[in-house]
Amino acid sequence: MTPLLDVADLSIGFGTAQPVVQRVSFSVRPGETLALVGESGSGKTLTCRSVLRILPGSAQLRSGSIRFGREGAVQDLLSLPERKMRSIRGNHISMIFQEPMRSLSPLHRIGNQVTEVLKLHRSKSGSDARKQVLETFEQVGFADPERVFRAYPFELSGGMRQRAMIAMAMVAKPDLLIADEPTTALDVTTQAQVLGLIKDLQRATGMAVILVTHDLGVVANMAEKVVVMNKGRVMESGPAAAVLSAPQHGYTRRLIAAAPMIPQVAAPSAPQMHDDLILDMQGVSKTYQMRGGAWKAPVHVHACIDVNLSLPRGRTLAVVGESGSGKTTCARIALGAEKPDAGSRVLFRGKGSDAPLPVHAMDRAQRTQFQRSAQMVFQDPYSSLSPRMRIQEALTEPMEIHGLGTRADRREKAAEMLRWVGLSPDMLGRFPHAFSGGQRQRLSIARALTLDPQLLVCDEPTSALDVSVQDQILTLLEDIQARMGLSYLFISHDLAVVSRIADEVAVMRQGVIVEQAPPDTLFYSPQHPYTKALIAAQPEPDLSRPIDLALVARGAGAPATWPEMFRFVGTDAPALTEVSPGHQVRCHV
Amino acid sequence: MMFLKYAGYRLLTMLLTLGVVSILVFAIINLPPGDYLSNQIAELRATGQAEGVAKAEFLRTEYALDRPLWMQYLIWIGAAPGPQGFSGMLQGDFGWSFEFDQPVSEIVGDALWLTVLVNLAAVLFVYVVALPLGVLAAAKSETWVDYSAAFIGYLGLATPNFLLALMLFYYGNKYMGLPIGGLMAPEFEGEPMSPAKVQSILIHLIVPTFVIGTSGAAAMMQRLRANMLDELSKPYVETAKAKGMAPARLMAKYPLRMAFNPFVADIGNLLPAMVSGSVLVSVVLGLQTIGPALLAALKSQDQFLAGFVLMFVALLTLIGTMISDLLLVLLDPRIRYGAREG
């Protein structure tokens, strides 16, 4: 069969520098799914955008050809006049983007934005177009297409917006859909459903798909063909099964090795008991009061409800949940950055011999001491370091604030911390922009360590990083814990990451812990439908373990839709019940 | 329905604000010691003109200037009975100008609507000039179009208004026969409205509009350009491009619509800035707006005149803000539905 799209020898560059995409070639046949895999900076996004010719203004196409079309009507997209190109975009080739939050205009109704495609390419408008759009909405799984048609983007959740984007891309029935990291910004259960949707639509319409992603798990679930890119070059390409199970290129092998996986546990070990708790949270709730309108009563939002968490010294407690689950609120409360509702108890014990202190009722001296002992590592290494401070200033500032040591001492300590996190002390004079994302995250870990803390709260410390870098950072965190005996409160949305680093995992959903156990136990016999959904939704780079959409659907919905044993409405949740030693599940007994 | 409710709510807050402003205006005018009449009485006494003193004393009681301040205030706004019963701003009686020896309403009568006219013309000019130039500069950013628009803009910002006025008068008169000074030919002053008078006013408006509006237009253009450039780099623009939209339509439907918000929100700031900014220009150009009257009144502590003019400017500001708030609600669904993010 002749290819639908044939990219040959494509090179793209900026200015006079070396090309950032070098001699890339691949082809897609009708109905086929090709995955373009690579880490940030691999040139995968530029490559897929050049197909639609929507590159940034300063990018130059240095060489190559992009031929598109069914047999007998093949066109070279790169030499097509702009006017003809416009009738290809959104019509024969359409595209969906990474950030559904920002890829739709906030000021226009969804219906308007989707109908526009038909207006442009089919000269359809009015009730005719509306009917077709509503049909497409139904196809992408909207329960109430009429409502979505009238809705503005901000009235929809992230997953719904991505569905709307897909509807927009699908409404003109294109031959080729380019999806640029379509699920990266979504929660894992939503990701599973959106991927399933793309697959269904492809089966129904016979369109070809180019899926741009960094996640080999997504590739394993979606693609028939894979192109692995690194630094603008194709490293390896071929059928997905062959590339994933018997990678030829070293880079592909490293990528697969770094991809976090949920372990398949044979038999869990017996839980250990600890009584030296560094952090003990009992009955912690947090209610936010949202300001109402001029005549409206204020609305109460329960960020977390009756959360009990205890972190033994030298251990790692992970809190796992999707956006809005209340996991970050818990972390902020643990650090004293947020005041919990009355009746909540948060105790911190700096040393084993000290008496536990209430975090939210400390005097000045205790508070200063606590702030030294408990430090935080943030999610986004790009915005958590001030771009105007040299590394030395950033690392010595905490010690200055606490009045520790002399100038020379502080410098010495900063240099030592840099060595600890695997960077060289002669980098002290540089500014943050000179560092990559992974190096920056090392820097923020080094900064957190300068005060010799006992507790480190890590809020999604690896979710902004590439998989190979994520792997290194997790190893670093493990090393540091072993050397310094640190305790970690680890916040994450990713069960695979957590399975590697945690001694105890608490799964949160809508402000409540639904299941808590050591990771082995949790993965060996997950009890709660939501935990099962999370595990089932995790894309694994293993063709024999595809996403189980049925399991995802059963647990990913609102608590009111869960099986009867687990079901609850509002804040009226059943209690946590111990189903086996160290394994708690929130269910009716 | 929602909108009407909101409009009602805004109207209510506007009236409350106006009340607060009236207290402030009254307090500030009365901050310097003495008042126009007591100053005059002292001066008359010193020069021994007894009959003048009697008249001034009469006016003092007539306008309740001998009462305590809070009482004076209530009488001024018309919430308490004065010597003539309830007769204050609320009843449409704006008081007496001692400086001009006339009722305030007669002094400002014509000037009032001329002020509104001049400033509305200037605001219109600002928008008509800034909108296309700003959009063009953003669309063709970093080309000669952008650079020349920026050059003209900075020139407009940097040239002092009075200088611009003098230059325009000179060259406008020399090459285009435009009139110099005033807002109408002298023979129409005080005459009833007629087609000839309207024409005269329109011709006289050209230079003042240009002078008052230039710097505002330049600033607005730069702001719109910056907003547009911000919007053009947003992902939704890319989405629209990937849909196959033509550049001009795309520009008008998506980024411009977004960049419009600050543009509209500026109406509220623009009106008062123009009115107070045009005071000096009016004096230089000899325009019959309330600017010169305000300047004179403030200098001589002519309190009713000053108070009225200040209240009028405040009212314009509040109306401007209200218009822009209501427009924003109509334009932006995120405000309409009180969403927290978008």
Side-chain angles (χ1 to χ4, degrees):
Chain A
M1 198 164 22
T2 52
L4 177 70
L5 178 80
D6 185 44
V7 175
D9 208 23
L10 184 74
S11 296
I12 304 170
F14 290 91
T16 53
Q18 278 286 309
V20 287
V21 171
Q22 291 183 47
R23 313 189 61 120
V24 167
S25 304
F26 57 86
S27 64
V28 188
R29 281 187 303 221
E32 185 178 54
T33 303
L34 172 97
L36 220 52
V37 188
E39 297 186 296
S40 45
S42 63
K44 58 188 194 299
T45 293
L46 280 178
T47 304
C48 77
R49 276 171 208 216
S50 64
V51 173
L52 275 183
R53 287 201 357 221
I54 51 171
L55 292 169
S58 48
Q60 312 148 357
L61 281 161
R62 297 263 171 88
S63 74
S65 69
I66 299 179
R67 301 172 66 74
F68 171 80
R70 304 242 174 205
E71 240 166 305
V74 178
Q75 294 167 302
D76 185 359
L77 295 188
L78 293 186
S79 59
L80 218 57
E82 179 63 23
R83 180 177 291 276
K84 284 218 169 115
M85 195 61 214
R86 283 208 289 275
S87 68
I88 300 245
R89 291 185 196 132
N91 188 9
H92 300 293
I93 306 178
S94 58
M95 187 153 176
I96 48 185
F97 298 89
Q98 177 169 356
E99 289 181 273
M101 305 290 165
R102 315 206 304 135
S103 299
L104 288 162
S105 160
L107 298 184
H108 298 86
R109 293 177 196 272
I110 302 277
N112 173 320
Q113 297 187 53
V114 178
T115 314
E116 190 167 44
V117 177
L118 292 178
K119 215 181 278 173
L120 285 168
H121 298 298
R122 301 282 180 278
S123 318
K124 265 191 196 176
S125 55
S127 60
D128 215 17
R130 186 188 160 89
K131 207 173 130 238
Q132 193 175 339
V133 170
L134 288 176
E135 269 166 26
T136 314
F137 280 169
E138 226 173 292
Q139 250 185 328
V140 299
F142 282 126
D144 187 353
E146 295 274 354
R147 194 184 78 80
V148 175
F149 195 91
R150 284 192 311 270
Y152 288 100
F154 63 81
E155 296 175 273
L156 305 181
S157 68
M160 298 257 276
R161 287 187 219 191
Q162 198 59 303
R163 276 174 203 270
M165 276 299 288
I166 294 175
M168 180 148 77
M170 294 297 304
V171 73
K173 303 198 167 56
D175 300 317
L176 175 64
L177 174 72
I178 301 176
D180 185 5
E181 302 263 11
T183 56
T184 308
L186 303 178
D187 281 326
V188 61
T189 51
T190 316
Q191 156 168 301
Q193 288 160 348
V194 168
L195 290 178
L197 170 66
I198 293 178
K199 234 175 163 174
D200 286 348
L201 288 173
Q202 186 180 17
R203 213 170 293 138
T205 61
M207 66 176 174
V209 174
I210 295 180
L211 184 70
V212 180
T213 180
H214 68 277
D215 188 337
L216 285 170
V218 171
V219 176
N221 276 283
M222 299 290 292
E224 282 129 28
K225 241 159 69 178
V226 184
V227 174
V228 181
M229 286 183 72
N230 183 32
K231 299 203 174 110
R233 291 172 192 273
V234 174
M235 297 283 114
E236 181 167 358
S237 65
V243 173
L244 288 177
S245 57
Q248 297 301 307
H249 197 282
Y251 178 75
T252 319
R253 278 202 287 272
R254 279 203 300 282
L255 216 52
I256 293 178
M261 280 169 90
I262 293 179
Q264 283 167 312
V265 180
S269 48
Q272 296 162 290
M273 288 323 241
H274 302 273
D275 45 8
D276 179 15
L277 301 178
I278 185 167
L279 182 72
D280 190 15
M281 303 173 75
Q282 295 301 327
V284 172
S285 300
K286 175 75 193 174
T287 311
Y288 290 105
Q289 191 173 328
M290 306 288 251
R291 205 162 57 97
W295 290 285
K296 275 180 241 137
V299 183
H300 294 280
V301 177
H302 302 276
C304 56
I305 306 157
D306 193 25
V307 168
N308 300 318
L309 288 171
S310 45
L311 172 56
R313 191 173 306 280
R315 295 286 161 153
T316 302
L317 169 66
V319 181
V320 180
E322 298 183 311
S323 47
S325 62
K327 56 187 193 300
T328 298
T329 307
C330 284
R332 291 174 56 82
I333 290 174
L335 277 176
E338 192 102 47
K339 226 177 146 53
D341 294 352
S344 311
R345 217 158 49 96
V346 182
L347 297 176
F348 176 79
R349 186 147 70 156
K351 291 190 207 73
S353 50
D354 292 352
L357 288 171
V359 168
H360 297 275
M362 288 177 165
D363 61 34
R364 220 186 159 79
Q366 288 170 336
R367 172 146 282 273
T368 311
Q369 185 57 41
F370 170 70
Q371 283 164 344
R372 271 186 66 181
S373 317
Q375 288 289 314
M376 181 136 181
V377 178
F378 297 94
Q379 170 172 6
D380 184 358
Y382 291 91
S383 54
S384 58
L385 290 164
S386 162
R388 287 184 189 77
M389 270 177 145
R390 288 178 197 280
I391 299 310
Q392 183 178 339
E393 294 168 76
L395 291 188
T396 53
E397 192 189 33
M399 293 182 274
E400 252 166 69
I401 291 171
H402 285 271
L404 302 178
T406 63
R407 253 183 106 78
D409 290 345
R410 293 198 286 259
R411 205 194 133 85
E412 184 46 44
K413 180 85 182 176
E416 188 195 341
M417 285 306 120
L418 275 192
R419 275 191 296 267
W420 274 63
V421 297
L423 297 173
S424 149
D426 54 294
M427 293 172 173
L428 278 176
R430 297 195 194 161
F431 284 99
H433 63 78
F435 294 87
S436 68
Q439 285 176 320
R440 285 185 209 208
Q441 200 58 301
R442 285 170 193 269
L443 288 172
S444 36
I445 292 173
R447 180 176 56 182
L449 294 179
T450 52
L451 292 174
D452 297 322
Q454 274 118 37
L455 170 66
L456 216 53
V457 176
C458 307
D459 187 4
E460 304 254 14
T462 61
S463 50
L465 306 174
D466 281 328
V467 274
S468 58
V469 182
Q470 162 169 301
D471 189 54
Q472 294 161 9
I473 295 290
L474 289 176
T475 310
L476 174 68
L477 285 172
E478 285 166 344
D479 284 354
I480 291 173
Q481 184 169 43
R483 281 171 75 173
M484 299 177 72
L486 278 179
S487 315
Y488 292 154
L489 179 60
F490 196 95
I491 310 295
S492 179
H493 69 277
D494 190 335
L495 268 182
V497 166
V498 160
S499 70
R500 176 168 158 187
I501 196 162
D503 299 301
E504 173 92 7
V505 181
V507 180
M508 280 189 82
R509 170 76 170 164
Q510 292 193 354
V512 295
I513 295 177
V514 295
E515 187 163 7
Q516 186 171 351
D520 281 2
T521 316
L522 195 69
F523 298 131
Y524 178 65
S525 68
Q527 298 295 314
H528 198 280
Y530 181 65
T531 315
K532 286 182 187 170
L534 276 186
I535 295 174
Q538 180 77 28
E540 305 276 351
D542 180 350
L543 290 172
S544 62
R545 288 164 70 189
I547 294 175
D548 183 348
L549 275 175
L551 261 185
V552 175
R554 204 169 309 143
T561 65
W562 286 339
E564 191 161 358
M565 202 180 148
F566 305 96
R567 193 176 302 158
F568 67 91
V569 179
T571 59
D572 186 26
L576 272 175
T577 313
E578 189 150 59
V579 293
S580 67
H583 188 175
Q584 293 176 301
V585 180
R586 193 173 291 279
C587 59
H588 301 280
V589 264
Chain B
M1 194 52 225
M2 272 265 309
F3 179 71
L4 285 183
K5 214 166 148 186
Y6 178 72
Y9 170 73
R10 278 299 278 114
L11 197 69
L12 203 73
T13 53
M14 184 182 115
L15 292 177
L16 283 177
T17 317
L18 206 59
V20 174
V21 168
S22 73
I23 296 178
L24 283 177
V25 162
F26 190 79
I28 289 170
I29 290 176
N30 281 291
L31 269 186
D35 54 55
Y36 183 85
L37 288 175
S38 56
N39 291 348
Q40 202 190 28
I41 290 171
E43 199 185 305
L44 291 173
R45 284 245 165 80
T47 49
Q49 293 167 284
E51 71 281 18
V53 174
K55 189 188 172 205
E57 290 282 8
F58 167 73
L59 281 176
R60 242 174 97 78
T61 29
E62 184 76 3
Y63 286 98
L65 294 184
D66 49 353
R67 312 234 185 139
L69 263 186
W70 63 270
M71 199 61 197
Q72 286 187 38
Y73 169 73
L74 290 180
I75 294 172
W76 176 55
I77 62 166
Q84 289 89 32
F86 287 95
S87 158
M89 307 270 266
L90 289 177
Q91 286 79 27
D93 180 354
F94 305 129
W96 183 268
S97 164
F98 306 116
E99 171 89 3
F100 296 93
D101 220 0
Q102 272 179 350
V104 167
S105 50
E106 260 174 48
I107 301 174
V108 294
D110 237 10
L112 209 57
W113 72 263
L114 282 176
T115 307
V116 174
L117 182 72
V118 169
N119 287 296
L120 275 186
V123 169
L124 214 65
F125 173 80
V126 166
Y127 279 81
V128 166
V129 170
L131 183 69
L133 278 185
V135 172
L136 210 63
K140 309 261 178 222
S141 75
E142 290 173 30
T143 63
W144 65 268
V145 179
D146 184 19
Y147 296 137
S148 29
F151 179 72
I152 296 172
Y154 287 126
L155 214 61
L157 270 178
T159 317
N161 274 349
F162 68 90
L163 185 67
L164 191 64
L166 294 177
M167 278 163 49
L168 284 178
F169 271 151
Y170 178 73
Y171 288 107
N173 187 264
K174 193 169 170 190
Y175 295 109
M176 286 145 71
L178 290 179
I180 296 180
L183 271 176
M184 60 190 89
E187 63 265 28
F188 293 115
E189 261 173 66
E191 292 293 308
M193 208 38 87
S194 64
K197 182 172 175 177
V198 171
Q199 195 190 2
S200 167
I201 291 177
L202 285 181
I203 289 180
H204 279 80
L205 258 182
I206 295 176
V207 171
T209 305
F210 204 84
V211 171
I212 300 172
T214 310
S215 65
M220 176 83 78
M221 188 201 96
Q222 288 298 321
R223 221 158 31 238
L224 185 65
R225 172 182 178 273
N227 286 337
M228 281 294 281
L229 282 180
D230 275 355
E231 293 303 324
L232 280 174
S233 63
K234 297 250 174 93
Y236 68 83
V237 175
E238 202 167 34
T239 308
K241 227 186 275 175
K243 248 187 225 180
M245 281 185 91
R249 269 211 54 175
L250 191 160
M251 199 75 155
K253 181 166 177 183
Y254 294 108
L256 182 59
R257 179 76 195 278
M258 288 288 279
F260 225 69
N261 273 8
F263 204 67
V264 169
D266 263 351
I267 299 176
N269 300 329
L270 214 54
L271 268 177
M274 298 250 150
V275 173
S276 50
S278 64
V279 168
L280 281 182
V281 176
S282 296
V283 174
V284 173
L285 302 189
L287 308 180
Q288 297 90 328
T289 66
I290 54 174
L294 173 64
L295 207 61
L298 285 176
K299 273 201 295 205
S300 60
Q301 275 189 291
D302 189 355
Q303 67 174 27
F304 292 123
L305 181 57
F308 171 77
V309 176
L310 289 177
M311 284 304 289
F312 177 68
V313 173
L315 183 71
L316 276 188
T317 310
L318 288 173
I319 290 179
T321 334
M322 184 162 113
I323 291 177
S324 66
D325 279 3
L326 293 182
L327 275 180
L328 280 180
V329 166
L330 285 181
L331 274 176
D332 193 331
R334 290 171 299 180
I335 302 175
R336 190 151 70 236
Y337 292 92
R340 260 152 242 287
E341 50 99 50

